[in-house]
Amino acid sequence: MTQSIPPESPQTPDGTPPSDDDATLVTVAERPTEPAATVLVSILADAGIRAVAVGGFTAGFVAEAPGWVQVKTFERDAEKARGIIAQIKAEPHDF
């Protein structure tokens, strides 16, 4: 399952919205399960970052080389996404 979230409409230097046609997706995190990756995709969406979870089908296999679910964003959003992920890791969990 892949999930995508609409962007917050950033602007390019000339004031026009960027085109996603030639945008590059980069991996900003990996999670062992699809639900864990989907939670991260939702958190990034709350921050206005489009993200997708890729690899859910292979992550569930019990095999010699199990897969991980990758969370990907557009390259232009990767730094902001990694900052949010780092903040999540640094905050204590109350559950």
Side-chain angles (χ1 to χ4, degrees):
M1 178 174 144
T2 302
Q3 180 179 5
S4 67
I5 287 84
E8 64 180 35
S9 298
Q11 299 291 314
T12 61
D14 65 359
T16 61
S19 169
D20 293 337
D21 292 340
D22 59 354
T24 302
L25 289 177
V26 296
T27 300
V28 294
E30 291 183 325
R31 295 295 181 261
T33 65
E34 188 171 15
T38 302
V39 167
L40 192 50
V41 167
S42 295
I43 290 168
L44 294 174
D46 288 345
I49 299 172
R50 282 174 62 173
V52 293
V54 179
F57 290 115
T58 58
F61 291 139
V62 178
E64 293 297 319
W68 282 71
V69 183
Q70 297 178 338
V71 176
K72 295 181 176 272
T73 65
F74 289 119
E75 189 172 35
R76 65 178 172 259
D77 297 327
E79 185 176 338
K80 181 178 176 184
R82 287 184 181 115
I84 291 167
I85 293 164
Q87 184 179 3
I88 292 167
K89 288 180 181 179
E91 293 179 2
H93 299 285
D94 292 334
F95 52 92

